[in-house]
Structure formats: C-alpha cells, structure tokens
Amino acid sequence: MTEPERPSEQPSVPLSALLADPALGLRQIAGPAEDRRVSTVGTTEIENPAPYLVGGELFLTAGVRLPRDADGIDTYVRQVAAVGVSALGFGVAPVYEEVPPDLVAACDRHGLPLLRIPPATPFVAVGQATYTAIAEVRTRELREISRAQSALATAAARPDALRAVLDRLAAHAGAWAVLYDAHGNELFSAGPRPASPTPERLRDLAVRTRGAARSAAADHRTGTHLTVHTLPGPDGTTTTLTLGQATTVAPTPVHRQITSTATVLLALLTSPRHALGTDTRGAGALVRLMLGATPAEVAPALDADHWTVVHGHHARSVSPGEDPAQLATLGTALGTPYLYVDGPDLKALIPGTPDARPEAPAQVAELGWTLGFSTPVPASNLPQADRQAERALRRALAAQLPAAVHTEDPLTVHALVPPSDARDLARTRFAPLDEAGTPGSAILLNTLHTWLTLHGSWDRTAAALQVHRNTVRHRLARVGEALGVDLQDPGVRMELWFALQWLETERGAGPGRAAGPDRQRERPRGSG
C-alpha cells in the first residue's frame, strides 16, 4: 500500500514496560498479547468516553458509569477500541470488587488489552510512572538522534561525502539506502541490498513520487517497509534526486528524524554551490593563483602533497548548472571537489599521496564518462601530469575502455608523442613519395631506411641492397626532391628516422619492407 510518509509520532513507552513495573502491580487479563505503545494517560468516568479520547493513550476507569448489562459493556468497549486507545486500565475498588467478566469478554472480542489495576495503586501513580518512562525513552531517543546527526555531519565533511552519508544513514536506520537520479538510476547505495523484487519496488516508488511532485511516500507490506524522500531545493521546490530506504521493520520516530537530517545534508551536498567546490580554502588558493602565485606555492593550503590529473570525455555535453547532481556525484566518486566541466570535457585534480594508485569508480562509467588518469605528482609537475592524463584518455577512447591510467614511459622521444599522432605524422610526411613514380615509394623508403641505418654510407647501402652506389645516390636524390628536404642536414635525417620508426610500427614489417637485397633488376650505371 502506497501512502504519504507519516509525520513523527509522539514519544511513547511500550505497554510491557508498565506491566513490568512492580510498584504498579498491573496485570493484563484480556485482549491481544502484542506490545502496544502508550503515549499518554487519560481518565474519565462518563458513559461514552470515545469523543474525548485521541488514540494511543492508556485509558483508566473505575467503572463508575460502566453499563451494567453485557450488551452495554460491549458497546462501551467497541467505541473505545475504535478510537485507537492502546489499552484499558480498570481499577478494582471502590465501585467493583473485581473486574466484571463481561468486560473481560468484550475486550477479548474487540482486541483491546485490558489491565487490572489493584486497589493499592492510584491512577495518579500510573500516570506518573507512564510519563517518567516516556521521558526516559525520549532522552534515549534524543541521544541516539544526536549521535546519528554527529556521525552524518562528519560523513558530510569527507571527500566521498555522498557515499559516506548514505553509509551512516544505512547503519543507524538498519536499512538499505539508495540515492536515485531523475530517471530512477542508482547513483549510490549503502547497506545490505535486499533480494528482488524489493529494489525494483523501491525504484518504482521513487519514480512515481517524483513524478507526482510529492516530497515523500511510503509502501509498507508484510515484512518490507519502503520509504522515499525527494531532496529539497534551495527555493523550496524539490531537486532531481530521491532518497529511498528499504527496511524489514517499521520506521521509528528516531529513524524518521535521522532520515530528515540525512535528506537535508544530501540536498546541500548536491547543490550547485557545494558541487562546484566553493570552499574558503579553495577560494583563497584561487585568489593567490590569480595574483601570481605558482601551483606549488598554493598547494599546501589545499592539504595535498601530490595530485593526480584526470581528463574525461562524455558522449554528450554536460552542464553543471543544469545538473549539479551529476557533478556532485562525479566529484564524490572521484574523491575530489576540484572539477571543471566544459561541455563534454572534464578536467579534475585529485589530492593524494605519492604512492596512491588512481582507479576509476564504477559510478563514473555509469554516468557516461571515459577518463584518463595521470600518476600522482607534486604541484610543480602538474603540466607533465596534464599531458599524461590527456594521453591516457586518448588510449581509453581508442580502446573503448571506461578509463585508462598512465603508466611510466621510458625516457625517449617516442614517449612524448601519442602513437596515433605519430603514425598520422609519418603517413603525412612520406605521402609525396607515392607520387614519385619509378621505382615506387616502397623501394625509396627501404633505400632511405637502409642508408640512415648505415649512417649515410653510400657504399655500404649499395652493398646491403645489392645495387650500384649511383643507384643509391639517385634514389635518395628523388627522396629529397619529393619531400623537399636536404638529406645532408643532420636535423632532417633525425626527423626522417623517427618518422620511419613510427611508420614501421604501423606496418609491422619495416618501411616498405625490411632492409635487405634490393630485388629490382640492376639498371645501367647512373640510372635510378
């Protein structure tokens, strides 16, 4: 059954606590054995007390106006039970020497607990004991609420605030807690996940509640209690997020109070101001940077020795202003408030330690992001880490992976250029040889590669290719003319050597073919 979430009940005490008090001497002699809650005590001696009762009270009577016949007593009990009183307390003496049997039978018939109050126990003593017990229960509840609120506040200050708040809520409420986005997708969850179909029912309740623009709803069935709360917005409306909980016991007033606190904290954590990380320390660091300080100088103010740079790409453009919850969720998943989103592109800084190992949380992929991570570096090396993150992102996109982490490259020129860019550069650099004519680009590339390998020796190149040295000269002249370069320039030779290596990586069998005897038929001396 789906219903709006009920407001918090009045403080109450279990009926069993009053029955266990030896000073009162109360004894239940009729009605169900269930342990009902008592929130107040009422006493009246009129013929029909029902209009003066509100429900939840321990109703005391000495039977002054109790009907004398069985039918009248049955009507009396039926009216009192219909109001919802917790129990009926009947005082023995001075009107009755013992509880009337017809009253016992009527209470059994209508499911109303009937307590026998001995002659030595004044009704005032029952009231005092009840209110004292209620006060003690309320004190314990307030202490529990205070401890829970303190734990929630501490969790909200952590880098993974959203997940931490849900963890504390689940622990204190004994629930499975989950945060849904506008489409009913799970952003975070905490606590033991219940078996199907409870998660599906909770999601459906969250979607229907948000669609109906309601702030809360409940669905209580045998053995399962579901509640959802839409997070409040700063203008009094609701946000796009919904908090859902599933428990095996009915929510208590303490549970509802703790949930209310968690709901407010989650709303604050997903607000645009918090999602964009406008904290005073971060703002102070920004001011110093804009006034000329270096990243290394302001980094200590942000309590981080090392930083991991993250580059990200999304399939669609993301607007933090329109969907701050996405940014808050992303920041919580990555463990950092230092995020910058520009359309489909993301850049982030994750504070950490030198031995931290960057990892991509599952929520990031679920949100549609592909990420590249650098290795942790001190603030002075952030430009290097920025390049690492960019290359890692390109690798993740090319391999269709949710994320890639930069690995330490050897200290070579090849490590500075992404492989795909290097291959594109090599193809472009040697493209003019395709128009050079006979003997063809493959043979010209092979001759160039052999000549560079043999340090520009004409004779050794001719011997390796088994052609005349003038053939080598002629071919290399064709290469220089087609590419518009001077092969006697060491810088040009170095550039072409790297390009040949990148082309070799692409083709896998060397530039044109592996260096070796040139199988083209030898032409007369001086021919190409």
Side-chain angles (χ1 to χ4, degrees):
M1 173 179 181
T2 302
E3 59 185 17
E5 176 76 332
R6 294 174 297 172
S8 300
E9 297 96 340
Q10 293 294 321
S12 60
V13 64
L15 186 61
S16 59
L18 301 178
L19 292 170
D21 188 342
L24 297 178
L26 306 181
R27 181 166 57 90
Q28 182 173 347
I29 59 175
E34 64 186 37
D35 195 8
R36 297 186 177 183
R37 309 286 302 185
V38 176
S39 58
T40 187
V41 177
T43 303
T44 184
E45 298 293 352
I46 60 178
E47 293 180 359
N48 180 17
Y52 303 95
L53 301 173
V54 297
E57 58 264 272
L58 171 58
F59 171 48
L60 307 180
T61 180
V64 175
R65 295 296 181 90
L66 185 71
R68 299 295 176 175
D69 61 286
D71 289 341
I73 290 177
D74 184 84
T75 300
Y76 180 93
V77 172
R78 175 170 49 81
Q79 291 174 337
V80 171
V83 176
V85 299
S86 298
L88 173 63
F90 193 87
V92 176
V95 181
Y96 288 87
E97 294 182 359
E98 196 50 69
V99 180
D102 289 337
L103 182 60
V104 174
C107 286
D108 278 332
R109 191 160 46 247
H110 294 287
L112 179 64
L114 175 61
L115 309 186
R116 180 186 183 277
I117 304 176
T121 303
F123 284 2
V124 173
V126 176
Q128 289 177 338
T130 301
Y131 293 127
T132 298
I134 289 176
E136 292 175 352
V137 169
R138 184 55 177 166
T139 299
R140 289 195 298 269
E141 289 179 347
L142 291 174
R143 288 174 180 169
E144 183 179 352
I145 291 171
S146 178
R147 287 194 297 268
Q149 289 177 334
S150 178
L152 289 170
T154 301
R158 289 175 45 176
D160 57 340
L162 291 179
R163 182 185 292 108
V165 169
L166 282 181
D167 284 339
R168 290 298 85 211
L169 174 61
H172 282 280
W176 178 59
V178 57
L179 190 63
Y180 296 103
D181 67 9
H183 307 290
N185 300 315
E186 292 183 19
L187 298 178
F188 295 101
S189 65
R193 187 182 186 89
S196 182
T198 298
E200 293 79 7
R201 285 176 48 212
L202 185 60
R203 176 190 180 277
D204 180 65
L205 180 61
V207 172
R208 286 188 284 113
T209 301
R210 185 177 181 278
R214 291 160 57 183
S215 60
D219 184 355
H220 302 322
R221 304 182 188 182
T222 303
T224 306
H225 299 266
L226 309 180
T227 58
V228 296
H229 296 79
T230 51
L231 302 192
D235 56 354
T237 60
T238 58
T239 66
T240 60
L241 300 182
T242 306
L243 170 65
Q245 294 179 88
T247 64
T248 56
V249 296
T252 65
V254 172
H255 179 192
R256 292 193 176 96
Q257 185 64 45
I258 294 172
T259 298
S260 177
T261 300
T263 301
V264 172
L265 285 175
L266 291 171
L268 291 173
L269 291 171
T270 54
S271 66
R273 180 174 180 83
H274 185 277
L276 294 174
T278 52
D279 61 285
T280 55
R281 293 175 66 84
L286 176 60
V287 170
R288 293 177 62 191
L289 281 173
M290 295 184 69
L291 295 179
T294 66
E297 290 173 329
V298 302
L302 301 176
D303 299 325
D305 296 328
H306 281 64
W307 299 85
T308 297
V309 179
V310 183
H311 281 212
H313 183 76
H314 201 283
R316 62 177 179 83
S317 181
V318 178
S319 173
E322 295 177 2
D323 191 6
Q326 162 111 199
L327 191 60
T329 303
L330 183 62
T332 297
L334 292 174
T336 179
Y338 306 116
L339 302 170
Y340 171 69
V341 176
D342 182 15
D345 298 318
L346 160 76
K347 289 188 177 181
L349 288 172
I350 302 177
T353 58
D355 56 350
R357 173 65 179 173
E359 294 183 359
Q363 288 90 346
V364 173
E366 294 170 1
L367 292 172
W369 288 96
T370 301
L371 300 180
F373 293 81
S374 76
T375 55
V377 299
S380 57
N381 291 347
L382 283 175
Q384 173 191 349
D386 188 47
R387 293 190 294 270
Q388 291 178 354
E390 181 181 2
R391 293 201 296 271
L393 174 61
R394 291 180 180 177
R395 189 164 69 250
L397 291 171
Q400 296 184 337
L401 297 173
V405 179
H406 172 78
T407 55
E408 290 296 338
D409 297 322
L411 298 177
T412 66
V413 174
H414 297 286
L416 299 178
V417 184
S420 58
D421 290 352
R423 289 191 294 270
D424 290 342
L425 175 62
R427 286 194 296 266
T428 302
R429 193 71 185 89
F430 293 119
L433 295 183
D434 293 333
E435 308 297 329
T438 305
S441 63
I443 291 179
L444 292 177
L445 283 172
N446 194 39
T447 302
L448 175 62
H449 182 268
T450 305
W451 181 68
L452 292 173
T453 302
L454 298 174
H455 307 291
S457 171
W458 308 105
D459 294 332
R460 293 171 61 191
T461 302
L465 298 177
Q466 297 181 9
V467 297
H468 197 278
R469 66 191 306 273
N470 284 350
T471 300
V472 174
R473 288 180 177 273
H474 181 74
R475 290 179 182 176
L476 293 176
R478 299 281 296 276
V479 170
E481 180 181 356
L483 300 182
V485 297
D486 179 7
L487 293 179
Q488 301 306 313
D489 185 336
V492 171
R493 294 188 187 186
M494 180 181 66
E495 175 196 342
L496 295 179
W497 173 256
F498 283 121
L500 285 169
Q501 305 308 304
W502 293 327
L503 196 65
E504 181 177 318
T505 301
E506 176 187 33
R507 298 184 180 183
R513 59 180 176 176
D518 192 320
R519 298 307 182 188
Q520 183 186 36
R521 182 176 60 86
E522 181 68 47
R523 296 187 176 186
R525 180 172 179 172
S527 64

